[in-house]
Amino acid sequence: MNFISQCKHNLLLLSLLVISHSLTACSSQKEKQKQVSIDGAAVGFPISLAVAEEYHNVKADAVVSVASSGTGGGISKFCAGEIDIVGASRTIRDEEITKCKSKNIEFLEIPIALDGIAVIVNRQNDFVQCLTVDELKTIWSAKADSKILTWNQVNPKFPNEKMKLYAPASDTGTFDYFTQAVTGKAKNGRTDYTPSHNQNTLVQGVAGDKYSLGYVGISYYIQNQDKLNLVAVENPNGKCEKPVPVDNVVKNIYTPLSRPLFIYVSKKSLDTKPAVREFVDFYLENSWKWVDSAGYVALPDEAYVKVKQKFLKGETGTKFKKAKPGQPITNFI
């Protein structure tokens, strides 16, 4: 059983766990104080799921629910006070911060891992080895909608064949980060592509069409590299680089498509629910063990130290909104 399949199996177990502990509207206040709820990005979800399962192994009465409705959907619930923790594959936006403030929701911004967005093509594609950021912009920007339809429109050396495009849905953090990095503006993306919140669906689409192109979180490529070709991206130094080996992500060699992954934690939950504080403390001490097996990249050692200090101080707000793709993560913790 591969890691993603194991995650699905574990999710079922956790769902049964939640049900078995009667997470209903009639739960007593004491029971609610023991509950920890996480929702958010599909990217990074396997880490939270693995940590929650390990936590239950050491604390049998823990009631931790883990879901994945996307970064945007998760943050919406978080800012409405419906969940304690949200996983995010991008930084929180200004309008989301405003929504949180309207509900008196302060948050801690905690990076948990690094990820490289993998640009993928079909295994039979033998003409795309490297794309420039300008070529990616030509393909994916909003201006390309219903206009850039064939490969030779991107580069005259490419064949006159229709492109079939697959990418995360427009309300996902991966879509936001990719469009920001490639076009200079989040959400500045075309709409005439096949979207999905399930990145395995995107992998299957690209794997089934010779002239397809897509992008997914690095873990989804690693789990399916026998079905796909990984496209290099030209970095600012003019070198074609890939997110594999993953050291390219740690050293910011694979730019601009390397990014941090986050959890945002409600300060109110930390202050009023001891179970949340205990779980987040456990998360920060143990999540690194699951990063590699989930297909992501561990933070630099210095970053883990700074993140723990930030948590202990209860430092709220976001610093990463000022970060640009490729800048060292430790500058913003």
Side-chain angles (χ1 to χ4, degrees):
M1 183 182 292
N2 64 31
F3 190 84
I4 299 299
S5 296
Q6 183 66 49
C7 281
K8 292 177 179 177
H9 175 69
N10 291 344
L11 178 57
L12 175 60
L13 292 179
L14 281 177
S15 297
L16 292 173
L17 170 67
V18 171
I19 293 171
S20 70
H21 282 81
S22 302
L23 294 185
T24 64
C26 61
S27 295
S28 70
Q29 188 62 33
K30 186 175 180 180
E31 288 175 327
K32 289 181 179 179
Q33 290 298 103
K34 294 181 181 180
Q35 298 169 12
V36 181
S37 52
I38 310 172
D39 199 343
V43 175
F45 166 75
I47 300 173
S48 294
L49 191 61
V51 172
E53 185 177 47
E54 184 183 11
Y55 185 62
H56 184 255
N57 289 338
V58 300
K59 192 174 178 63
D61 63 344
V63 185
V64 182
S65 62
V66 185
S68 176
S69 61
T71 296
I75 291 179
S76 180
K77 293 177 183 179
F78 180 77
C79 290
E82 297 173 9
I83 57 175
D84 303 304
I85 302 166
V86 61
S89 56
R90 58 163 172 80
T91 54
I92 191 168
R93 296 200 290 257
D94 288 337
E95 60 269 27
E96 292 166 336
I97 294 173
T98 299
K99 183 178 178 182
C100 275
K101 284 183 178 179
S102 72
K103 296 289 186 178
N104 296 315
I105 303 293
E106 293 184 275
F107 57 82
L108 278 67
E109 179 182 64
I110 299 175
I112 59 169
L114 300 173
D115 183 36
I117 298 179
V119 178
I120 54 173
V121 293
N122 185 272
R123 195 71 172 171
Q124 297 180 55
N125 187 317
D126 58 2
F127 59 88
V128 180
Q129 280 77 45
C130 179
L131 290 170
T132 67
V133 172
D134 281 344
E135 287 172 334
L136 288 171
K137 182 177 180 179
T138 296
I139 297 168
W140 290 105
S141 74
K143 292 182 179 179
D145 221 330
S146 302
K147 294 179 181 178
I148 304 299
L149 303 175
T150 60
W151 278 103
N152 64 334
Q153 289 179 283
V154 180
N155 186 321
K157 295 180 181 179
F158 295 160
N160 183 16
E161 297 286 350
K162 186 176 180 180
M163 290 186 295
K164 180 68 173 179
L165 300 175
Y166 296 86
S170 60
D171 62 347
T172 63
T174 302
F175 178 89
D176 287 347
Y177 191 90
F178 184 89
T179 54
Q180 174 72 51
V182 168
T183 74
K185 183 179 179 182
K187 293 195 174 296
N188 178 31
R190 65 192 300 166
T191 60
D192 58 338
Y193 69 96
T194 300
S196 179
H197 286 92
N198 184 341
Q199 296 197 33
N200 285 310
T201 300
L202 305 178
V203 166
Q204 293 168 9
V206 174
D209 190 316
K210 181 178 179 180
Y211 295 105
S212 59
L213 174 77
Y215 61 88
V216 293
I218 190 175
S219 64
Y220 293 91
Y221 166 73
I222 290 172
Q223 292 292 330
N224 297 279
Q225 51 191 305
D226 58 325
K227 305 174 185 176
L228 305 165
N229 281 345
L230 183 61
V231 178
V233 176
E234 186 179 288
N235 69 16
N237 295 324
K239 293 184 178 180
C240 290
E241 302 287 358
K242 297 180 179 181
V244 177
V246 294
D247 200 43
N248 288 352
V249 176
V250 179
K251 294 180 178 179
N252 293 310
I253 292 172
Y254 182 65
T255 59
L257 295 182
S258 296
R259 59 175 173 173
L261 306 177
F262 303 93
I263 56 172
Y264 287 91
V265 183
S266 166
K267 187 175 186 300
K268 180 179 180 180
S269 293
L270 287 174
D271 292 343
T272 61
K273 298 174 67 174
V276 174
R277 181 169 291 278
E278 290 174 11
F279 176 74
V280 174
D281 185 63
F282 183 88
Y283 198 116
L284 298 184
E285 291 290 343
N286 294 277
S287 61
W288 62 270
K289 293 186 287 188
W290 302 100
V291 171
D292 291 342
S293 61
Y296 303 110
V297 183
L299 303 175
D301 290 342
E302 180 187 358
Y304 283 109
V305 173
K306 285 189 171 185
V307 165
K308 190 60 183 289
Q309 291 172 343
K310 182 175 186 175
F311 172 66
L312 293 174
K313 291 178 182 177
E315 183 181 324
T316 59
T318 175
K319 289 185 177 179
F320 278 85
K321 284 185 64 61
K322 298 178 181 179
K324 296 180 180 179
Q327 291 185 307
I329 187 173
T330 51
N331 291 0
F332 303 96
I333 301 175

